[in-house]
Amino acid sequence: MLITNIKLFDGTSDNLIEDSSIWVEDNLIRYAGPSKKLRDVPDNIQTIDGNGLFIMPGMVEAHAHISYSNSGPLELDKAPVEESMIKTIANARLMLGSGFTSAISFGSVHKIDVFLKEAIERGEIPGPRLLAGSKDISATGGNSDFYPDNVQIVPEGLGMIRNGPWELRTAVRQLWKNGAEIVKVMIDGEIISLQGRPGDLGFTDEEVEVIVDEAHRKQMRVACHARSSEAVKQAVRAGIDFIGHANYIDDEALDLLIKNKNKVFVGPAIAWEITFLENYKNMGFDENSREVIAYRKELEETIISYKKMQAAGIRILVGGDYGLNITPHGTYAKDLEYYVTHFGFTNAEAIHSATRLGGLAMHPDGSLGTLKEGKLADLVVIDGNPLEDIKVLQDHDRIVSVMKDGKFYKDLLNNDIPYEISDDQLSLALQPSSKSRRKNVRVVKN
């Protein structure tokens, strides 16, 4: 197909290219750029009028919890796997419909991510490209060890509580055997945790190094929860691939990140702190409670840390612990606004974090995240200009359609049947008023 008459943000620079075209063949981009430079297009190609809409690369949710069911943070392990799976299918559709065509798992309840990924790739359900995670690895007393011993509950829907080098190697091997691609490790804790908190390292250096060694031997990648400087330093030294949070960064941690900036990606997942401080009363906390005071301080430190990392060229990803009751699924694009308002990113820089950098994190071969010849055809069609107003990406009515792997999807945000646009109805994919035309879209059945 050839899409003409569009405004193109290809993700390779900060610039918007007016009067552009995109040529897609199968699941690859053959051309993306000014229409006047387009050459050698076959006479029989299907041409679609883009109606002057804005097209950008598909975004990457790089701290994804697709299997979380919008529950409270201490309730994540309580839903039965059957209920979690049903909700996860809806969450995957919602993520794709929100313009996020790829996702890197930062932990899954049970083994849901693995089965979800397989179903998406078989075309049975709509959803983003997914690097599948599984249950978190946590030490005794760590961030996934929710219950005191006297309660005598040992839930394994969310966390694998393991200690010592050989238990940890075995845990990684179990995850690999069951299809996980991402190993998530809880290096330190959380302010609202019952025990381990930021700075309380759950594992020794040897234990973290064993996790990373075993995962990399199995061609898996490692993500971690690391809020404190000491946790970040432990993660970088061990060779962890994705560092979540990194709220407190001292000079030594920053130097380590700079020296390893071509090996590691970092993301604040800042939506949790911001929305907690907006909703703490509804969650049963008092203004002068330890948790509220500590999260205010954590947010202040996070802003300082990420301004330093941005200036130093550290690769910062978009992804915000969405899937909790105060950070519900479908609000993922709030992250881009937070990066602009809290970290001082330009709109284009925030979009690059979600597209070009997210694409490199997802596929190190560079096949995702920009719209250029030879790249995978993942893109978002928007009725508006996020370079001027970053909040446009949060308005689901302005997400006209989404292309993943060369196929258009439309109306995924409606709570009934999701649609893929068939080849003979492609013109509908570039029509802003999707609701009024929904009845004309034919369902593609695999």
Side-chain angles (χ1 to χ4, degrees):
M1 73 188 80
L2 177 65
I3 307 168
T4 62
N5 183 26
I6 60 169
K7 297 178 176 66
L8 176 67
F9 181 81
D10 66 14
T12 64
S13 73
D14 293 352
N15 299 323
L16 181 67
I17 308 171
E18 302 279 355
D19 191 15
S20 293
S21 297
I22 295 179
W23 173 6
V24 176
E25 186 173 292
D26 297 324
N27 69 333
L28 298 177
I29 294 172
R30 288 288 302 274
Y31 176 83
S35 297
K36 63 183 179 182
K37 294 184 178 181
L38 182 63
R39 301 286 187 274
D40 302 323
V41 180
D43 293 336
N44 62 346
I45 195 169
Q46 183 170 4
T47 301
I48 309 165
D49 185 354
N51 296 302
L53 294 168
F54 183 105
I55 291 185
M56 59 179 270
M59 293 180 283
V60 180
E61 222 300 334
H63 192 122
H65 295 296
I66 303 182
S67 64
Y68 287 10
S69 55
N70 294 344
S71 61
L74 301 179
E75 310 293 322
L76 297 173
D77 62 334
K78 293 183 178 178
V81 63
E82 297 86 355
E83 177 185 347
S84 297
M85 189 72 237
I86 292 168
K87 291 182 177 179
T88 298
I89 292 170
N91 296 339
R93 173 169 59 86
L94 184 56
M95 185 175 286
L96 180 61
S98 299
F100 287 80
T101 55
S102 296
I104 299 172
S105 175
F106 251 70
S108 165
V109 296
H110 308 286
K111 297 189 290 285
I112 286 178
D113 271 10
V114 173
F115 291 92
L116 177 73
K117 175 188 176 76
E118 292 173 354
I120 291 171
E121 291 184 348
R122 288 193 298 264
E124 295 172 353
I125 60 173
R129 301 175 188 273
L130 179 61
L131 289 181
S134 189
K135 294 178 285 189
D136 304 336
I137 296 179
S138 179
T140 296
N143 201 37
S144 294
D145 193 1
F146 287 160
Y147 303 100
D149 289 346
N150 64 290
V151 177
Q152 297 298 313
I153 296 176
V154 187
E156 290 233 340
L158 178 66
M160 302 172 71
I161 311 304
R162 303 289 188 270
N163 302 281
W166 279 108
E167 279 195 9
L168 292 166
R169 279 196 189 274
T170 302
V172 174
R173 291 171 183 177
Q174 286 175 327
L175 294 174
W176 173 77
K177 178 183 75 171
N178 288 292
E181 300 165 289
I182 300 288
V183 176
K184 165 73 175 297
V185 55
M186 294 291 191
I187 290 186
D188 67 354
E190 184 68 41
I191 288 168
I192 64 168
S193 291
L194 299 176
Q195 55 289 316
R197 300 203 169 97
D200 295 334
L201 301 187
F203 296 109
T204 64
D205 290 351
E206 179 190 11
E207 288 174 310
V208 178
E209 289 164 5
V210 161
I211 293 169
V212 175
D213 175 69
E214 191 64 35
H216 286 175
R217 287 178 65 246
K218 298 293 189 184
Q219 306 300 310
M220 304 164 80
R221 288 193 268 176
V222 185
C224 72
H225 173 111
R227 291 201 178 276
S228 63
S229 286
E230 292 305 312
V232 170
K233 286 182 276 192
Q234 190 179 63
V236 177
R237 288 172 180 146
I240 281 178
D241 305 284
F242 307 116
I243 299 177
H245 306 299
N247 307 94
Y248 305 88
I249 298 293
D250 61 18
D251 290 342
E252 184 182 6
L254 182 61
D255 288 343
L256 275 172
L257 286 168
I258 292 171
K259 290 175 183 176
N260 292 275
K261 64 182 179 181
N262 293 324
K263 300 177 182 178
V264 66
F265 293 89
V266 179
I270 198 176
W272 163 251
E273 289 96 326
I274 293 173
T275 53
F276 176 87
L277 293 172
E278 292 171 347
N279 295 278
Y280 64 85
K281 290 183 179 179
N282 295 332
M283 299 175 71
F285 294 95
D286 182 79
E287 183 176 2
N288 296 316
S289 65
R290 176 192 64 83
E291 292 84 358
V292 172
I293 293 170
Y295 274 122
R296 284 193 180 123
K297 176 65 173 175
E298 187 166 281
L299 179 56
E300 292 171 0
E301 291 293 333
T302 306
I303 292 169
I304 293 169
S305 295
Y306 274 84
K307 286 183 176 180
K308 289 179 180 178
M309 284 189 272
Q310 167 76 343
I314 308 302
R315 298 183 295 184
I316 299 170
L317 303 179
V318 160
D321 261 338
Y322 293 95
L324 302 175
N325 53 357
I326 59 173
T327 55
H329 286 288
T331 62
Y332 321 104
K334 288 285 289 185
D335 256 33
L336 285 85
E337 178 190 352
Y338 295 147
Y339 286 20
V340 171
T341 58
H342 288 74
F343 302 149
F345 283 37
T346 65
N347 290 13
E349 287 171 338
I351 295 171
H352 287 313
S353 286
T355 56
R356 179 173 55 81
L357 292 177
L360 282 173
M362 186 81 186
H363 282 188
D365 63 4
S367 59
L368 282 175
T370 58
L371 301 178
K372 300 295 290 183
E373 182 180 358
K375 300 299 180 72
L376 291 168
D378 287 13
L379 56 85
V380 188
V381 183
I382 303 160
D383 185 11
N385 185 346
L387 293 173
E388 296 175 351
D389 180 8
I390 199 69
K391 293 183 180 181
V392 166
L393 296 172
Q394 300 170 41
D395 187 345
H396 289 167
D397 289 337
R398 307 288 285 277
I399 305 293
V400 177
S401 59
V402 177
M403 176 182 285
K404 190 193 80 172
D405 213 35
K407 295 180 180 178
F408 267 122
Y409 295 85
K410 196 176 182 71
D411 288 349
L412 289 170
L413 300 171
N414 292 327
N415 290 321
D416 44 14
I417 301 173
Y419 288 102
E420 175 188 317
I421 303 298
S422 61
D423 290 344
D424 59 347
Q425 296 286 326
L426 285 176
S427 61
L428 297 177
L430 281 301
Q431 295 291 338
S433 54
S434 61
K435 292 180 181 178
S436 64
R437 295 174 172 82
R438 181 176 175 77
K439 60 186 179 181
N440 295 319
V441 181
R442 180 169 62 87
V443 180
V444 173
K445 296 183 179 180
N446 294 297

